[in-house]
Amino acid sequence: MNNQQPLLSVRNLKTYFSLDEGQVKAVDGVSFDVNPGQVVGIVGESGCGKSVTIKSILRIIQKPGKIVDGQILFRHNGDSMLDLTQLNAQSEQMRQIRGAEIALIPQEPMAAFSPVHTIGNQIEEAILLHQPVSKQQARKIAIERLREVGVPSPERRIDSYSWELSGGLRQRAMIAMALSCNPKLLIADEPTTAIDVTTQAQVLNLLRDLQAQHDAAIIFITHDLGVIAQIADFVVVMYLGRVMETGPVDDIFHNPQHPYTKALLKSIPTVTSESGSRLPTIEGAIPHPFNRPAGCPFYPRCIEMMPGTCNTSTPSLQPVTDTQSASCFLYHKQTDDE
Amino acid sequence: MTSNTEQTTNSTNGHPLLDVKGLKKYFPIKKGFFKKTVGHVRAVDDVNFFIREGETLGLVGESGCGKTTTSRCILRAVDPTGGRVLYRAKSGATVDIAQLPASEMRRLRPEMQMIFQDPFASLNPRMNLFDIVSEPMFVNGIKSRSERADRVAELLQLVGLRPEYMQRFPHAFSGGQRQRIVIARALALKPRLVVADEPVSALDVSVQAQVLNLLLDLQEQLKLTYLFVAHDLSVVKHISTRVAVMYVGKIAEIAPTDALFNTPKHPYTAALMAAVPVADPRVRSKMIPLQGDVPSPANPPSGCYFHPRCPFAEAVCKQETPQLQEIEPNHFVACHRAKELELDGISAN
Ligand SMILES: Nc1ncnc2c1ncn2[C@@H]1O[C@H](COP(=O)(O)OP(=O)(O)OP(=O)(O)O)[C@@H](O)[C@H]1O
Ligand SMILES: Nc1ncnc2c1ncn2[C@@H]1O[C@H](COP(=O)(O)OP(=O)(O)O)[C@@H](O)[C@H]1O
Ligand code: SF4
Ligand code: SF4
Ligand SMILES: [Mg+2]
Ligand SMILES: [Mg+2]
């Protein structure tokens, strides 16, 4: 496998929503790469654009949202790089890529399965859509996938409805469906947010094992830094529609560069912190998307903010160490302003 | 020293403010045309704990284990099926909230307040900040508008909001600010006991710390007693003097915070701790998942409810329900093997 060339390369992606109240720049110049077999964790707080980024990659952004700029280069069929932004979202080619080459484990677990069909029917349908197999073979594959993700007695469970399953089993069934066509890229949008810690640990272990077996790349989205630390190889830190910092997971946690990453890591309570002590906080709140500040999106809350610089122009994402990149004027002068 | 634990135990070694004994709440399961009762969900099933004045008892457990139902019983938002909720009122008298007539309960209400998980759902979007925060005062007989305005300004400052915001509506505020508004309203009548059900779970990571610090500061200033309900062990560890762990409607273990996290005595507590994703990529291999799912409280297993998932289960565990026992000073455990087991806590990382 060629690890030099990325499987997916998102370049300066901008996805905006035009509303009556104004324009929401949900994703505003996002860039990152995913290498084959790599687990990329995208971490950020609610509303920072994680889901819109991956919906853009899958080309499932609904009106009034629109990709207005940038490229999404995907290594299609293992060779040439195809720019997904240039495809018609409804085209046959995009449909094949969605599901067969890039599969999604969505954020809302209940929404993933229809309540009126059995999970087996839905997994089989996904297989039949993308693979030249008979109905019988599809059922066999579906049972195999369910077994692989640890659903007990899959021959019987395949005929259950999603609402008959416990949270943990539903999560597993969802992963089985996403894996049904052997995708090269699996996108998991907060797959463990709605479940308990003991189930979450099971699901994270499962994803790690599956990743190793299938050699699929994973984009794992979460706001939980603990989960990121446990699953990701490479981390993308987002804030207000932009990438603040990227780097290998160990560097992000042990040698963070961007003031937002540093502050975020200090502010989270951990099981080893002293009880009753006060945590360092990040002052203020995330601005409303209509009131986005000019300049660096983090400047109103940044303790290192440099007046006249940070509040007037927007830093671009640049390499700041051998392995990390950051969007911050403490390290460079490059801006993203036209 | 200055650990939260020691301070509060020393300063309030008197009677508990709240003493919950044998608390039960069963919900009927109804089926068919005649809505016949075919069974019961044992949401809270013989729960025992106490809270000392000025301390924070953290209540943790997985979704559906009965945390919210327990809190609702304590504030008499629902009527318990059985058991006692003994509360030492400001007047000095100890009353059983589980049995109190509605009129007396109404008189007690101002002393106990609840903060809910969702700061978006718990605020009326058509009321401005002044109305929201002053409503409980109005209901409880403070009719003078200027008196209420002064108090609202004071409360907003207390929770870190500007008094100028008084005329604004909830939609103009972020999640963290809304939770501050909810807290201001809960404090309007100078409560003694505050029950907070997942108060930071819906908040962004970067504002959780602000609200946790605020709750700690307010406790110090106002001598509040907290029951703090959460599923997140890190948050509970951070804020609690003592912690109670719940599993399928029962208390598995209660201990001072450090004792519980360093030397857990119940296999379920240890399993919960092992499942917490540590925010450090260098301690990856430690995450050992518990097998199986949480049983339904409508159909719990025999004996110890944890036995189908417990790596230490023996024959007795399938037959006999373990009772909550004090196996070390202040350390209560409901496990047949609590004394002999050596379990790993958090510091083992
Ligand atoms: N259909 C839509 N119409 C208008 N604005 C939208 C729409 N979908 C998303 N947005 C806005 O785009 C921004 C990014 O949203 P997104 O769903 O990507 O956030 P997220 O990072 O996934 O957050 P969360 O952690 O809450 O899932 C937000 O400001 C959101 O309000
Ligand atoms: N009003 C109700 N009617 C029937 N069952 C209920 C009701 N409220 C809670 N339950 C059940 O009681 C159990 C405990 O619920 P809850 O106290 O909300 O748990 P937690 O807050 O720990 O997640 C769950 O199985 C839940 O489904
Ligand atoms: S660019 Fe300025 S405001 Fe933005 S993170 Fe860097 S120092 Fe802070
Ligand atoms: S009583 Fe038995 S089954 Fe229950 S936790 Fe203790 S050892 Fe495990
Ligand atoms: Mg999202
Ligand atoms: Mg609850």
Side-chain angles (χ1 to χ4, degrees):
Chain A
M1 176 135 316
N2 179 357
N3 273 316
Q4 304 310 310
Q5 246 195 347
L7 175 66
L8 177 79
S9 184
V10 177
R11 298 270 131 247
N12 195 30
L13 178 69
K14 297 186 180 179
T15 305
Y16 296 172
F17 290 83
S18 306
L19 308 178
D20 293 341
E21 303 94 306
Q23 204 171 41
V24 177
K25 298 180 174 178
V27 170
D28 196 22
V30 161
S31 303
F32 64 91
D33 287 351
V34 181
N35 290 330
Q38 192 179 38
V39 181
V40 172
I42 303 184
V43 65
E45 301 175 73
S46 184
C48 73
K50 306 182 294 294
S51 296
V52 172
T53 299
I54 57 134
K55 283 180 184 163
S56 304
I57 295 171
L58 288 159
R59 299 298 314 276
I60 51 173
I61 290 286
Q62 305 281 324
K63 278 192 176 134
K66 195 168 181 291
I67 298 177
V68 298
D69 199 6
Q71 293 175 306
I72 300 169
L73 302 173
F74 179 64
R75 186 120 58 88
H76 178 49
N77 284 336
D79 42 70
S80 61
M81 293 302 260
L82 189 65
D83 185 355
L84 303 186
T85 64
Q86 297 306 311
L87 298 183
N88 181 329
Q90 307 307 327
S91 65
E92 182 55 31
Q93 192 173 23
M94 196 59 228
R95 260 185 239 247
Q96 278 301 326
I97 291 173
R98 238 184 344 250
E101 295 189 62
I102 308 178
L104 174 70
I105 305 174
Q107 185 163 5
E108 298 87 18
M110 282 313 274
F113 284 111
S114 149
V116 297
H117 300 286
T118 63
I119 56 161
N121 269 332
Q122 295 174 69
I123 300 175
E124 286 157 36
E125 205 177 305
I127 295 169
L128 288 170
L129 192 65
H130 297 296
Q131 289 177 18
V133 293
S134 69
K135 253 186 123 83
Q136 251 181 339
Q137 284 167 309
R139 187 174 168 87
K140 251 179 143 169
I141 297 174
I143 291 174
E144 250 342 284
R145 288 287 179 260
L146 286 171
R147 191 191 318 281
E148 193 179 25
V149 299
V151 171
S153 25
E155 303 83 359
R156 202 161 45 78
R157 297 286 181 148
I158 191 168
D159 295 317
S160 331
Y161 294 88
S162 63
W163 42 267
E164 292 177 311
L165 302 177
S166 71
L169 284 182
R170 198 181 303 129
Q171 208 71 25
R172 285 165 190 270
M174 232 160 67
I175 295 172
M177 177 142 104
L179 284 176
S180 59
C181 297
N182 267 319
K184 283 184 298 193
L185 177 61
L186 188 63
I187 301 181
D189 190 358
E190 311 238 11
T192 62
T193 302
I195 57 183
D196 285 313
V197 274
T198 59
T199 314
Q200 170 172 287
Q202 291 170 8
V203 171
L204 291 181
N205 275 4
L206 171 69
L207 282 173
R208 270 193 214 152
D209 292 350
L210 290 171
Q211 196 271 330
Q213 279 161 31
H214 289 247
D215 198 34
I218 300 181
I219 298 179
F220 195 103
I221 293 184
T222 177
H223 62 268
D224 187 329
L225 288 161
V227 170
I228 281 285
Q230 291 302 316
I231 190 117
D233 302 321
F234 191 85
V235 180
V236 176
V237 182
M238 283 183 74
Y239 185 79
L240 266 186
R242 293 181 58 86
V243 175
M244 297 294 104
E245 180 167 1
T246 63
V249 69
D250 198 84
D251 296 332
I252 292 288
F253 279 83
H254 291 283
N255 187 25
Q257 300 292 317
H258 194 281
Y260 174 63
T261 319
K262 290 183 190 173
L264 196 63
L265 282 167
K266 281 198 201 115
S267 74
I268 50 167
T270 69
V271 280
T272 46
S273 63
E274 194 192 338
S275 51
S277 61
R278 302 298 186 272
L279 290 163
T281 60
I282 305 178
E283 286 308 309
I286 303 173
H288 196 275
F290 293 125
N291 299 328
R292 289 195 30 179
C296 169
F298 188 54
Y299 94 77
R301 308 175 73 189
C302 180
I303 50 170
E304 313 215 46
M305 187 278 224
M306 297 168 282
T309 306
C310 303
N311 54 342
T312 51
S313 35
T314 314
S316 67
L317 188 66
Q318 298 292 333
V320 296
T321 70
D322 287 351
T323 55
Q324 284 151 283
S325 297
S327 310
C328 176
F329 290 130
L330 292 174
Y331 301 96
H332 59 77
K333 292 197 169 61
Q334 267 91 320
T335 73
D336 255 1
D337 304 317
E338 273 88 54
Chain B
M1 118 103 234
T2 69
S3 111
N4 208 20
T5 322
E6 292 166 44
Q7 276 178 13
T8 27
T9 344
N10 293 343
S11 62
T12 59
N13 44 10
H15 309 289
L17 181 70
L18 191 78
D19 197 357
V20 176
K21 289 180 190 283
L23 185 68
K24 291 192 174 107
K25 178 64 192 177
Y26 295 176
F27 294 103
I29 306 168
K30 296 191 190 287
K31 276 232 168 84
F33 185 71
F34 294 105
K35 296 269 177 257
K36 229 179 90 203
T37 300
V38 294
H40 284 96
V41 178
R42 302 191 206 171
V44 178
D45 196 10
D46 193 11
V47 156
N48 298 283
F49 63 82
F50 59 85
I51 312 180
R52 296 193 186 96
E53 190 156 10
E55 78 169 352
T56 300
L57 180 72
L59 184 60
V60 278
E62 296 180 273
S63 162
C65 72
K67 305 180 297 292
T68 297
T69 308
T70 302
S71 338
R72 290 170 61 82
C73 286
I74 287 172
L75 296 183
R76 206 49 196 284
V78 290
D79 289 334
T81 308
R84 289 187 292 167
V85 179
L86 302 176
Y87 173 72
R88 189 157 47 79
K90 210 184 318 191
S91 65
T94 296
V95 292
D96 183 359
I97 292 173
Q99 302 289 335
L100 220 54
S103 59
E104 282 180 54
M105 196 59 223
R106 215 171 301 129
R107 233 179 319 129
L108 219 53
R109 284 257 177 253
E111 292 189 27
M112 321 170 154
Q113 292 294 324
M114 184 125 184
I115 299 169
F116 296 98
Q117 169 169 3
D118 190 347
F120 293 86
S122 54
L123 293 174
N124 183 339
R126 277 180 286 278
M127 286 165 76
N128 66 22
L129 273 204
F130 172 78
D131 292 332
I132 289 169
V133 178
S134 71
E135 189 188 36
M137 300 180 219
F138 188 80
V139 173
N140 278 276
I142 306 174
K143 305 288 180 198
S144 147
R145 194 179 165 89
S146 71
E147 192 185 336
R148 279 183 286 139
D150 286 349
R151 180 86 179 117
V152 170
E154 194 186 316
L155 285 164
L156 290 182
Q157 256 163 350
L158 194 64
V159 300
L161 291 172
R162 296 205 196 128
E164 299 94 271
Y165 291 164
M166 236 184 266
Q167 301 308 322
R168 296 200 191 168
F169 291 85
H171 68 79
F173 294 93
S174 70
Q177 288 175 317
R178 288 182 208 209
Q179 200 57 295
R180 288 169 189 270
I181 300 168
V182 172
I183 294 170
R185 182 178 57 184
L187 296 178
L189 298 173
K190 305 190 175 160
R192 300 166 71 216
L193 176 67
V194 174
V195 176
D197 189 0
E198 307 263 9
V200 298
S201 307
L203 301 180
D204 274 317
V205 196
S206 76
V207 286
Q208 280 193 9
Q210 293 174 7
V211 173
L212 288 175
N213 287 356
L214 173 66
L215 288 169
L216 285 165
D217 291 342
L218 291 171
Q219 177 168 48
E220 239 172 59
Q221 285 173 43
L222 307 174
K223 306 275 173 286
L224 298 170
T225 303
Y226 291 145
L227 175 62
F228 189 100
V229 177
H231 66 274
D232 186 331
L233 283 169
S234 321
V235 169
V236 164
K237 162 92 198 277
H238 198 78
I239 197 148
S240 307
T241 324
R242 290 186 303 130
V243 176
V245 179
M246 246 184 125
Y247 189 71
V248 201
K250 290 183 184 295
I251 301 286
E253 181 164 7
I254 306 182
T257 306
D258 288 340
L260 188 101
F261 281 85
N262 295 338
T263 52
K265 299 284 178 196
H266 195 289
Y268 176 63
T269 311
L272 265 187
M273 285 174 188
V276 174
V278 182
D280 183 350
R282 292 181 189 169
V283 285
R284 273 197 180 175
S285 56
K286 289 270 178 176
M287 203 176 53
I288 314 138
L290 195 58
Q291 296 307 310
D293 287 316
V294 179
S296 158
N299 185 23
S302 63
C304 171
Y305 289 180
F306 190 55
H307 88 252
R309 306 173 79 190
C310 181
F312 308 102
E314 288 177 339
V316 59
C317 305
K318 288 191 187 127
Q319 282 135 28
E320 284 170 38
T321 307
Q323 299 301 314
L324 198 63
Q325 284 182 358
E326 188 168 10
I327 65 159
E328 272 167 25
N330 285 314
H331 203 139
F332 299 83
V333 191
C335 166
H336 294 304
R337 305 191 57 192
K339 281 187 189 141
E340 53 177 298
L341 294 176
E342 295 273 335
L343 302 169
D344 278 348
I346 287 296
S347 58
N349 275 325

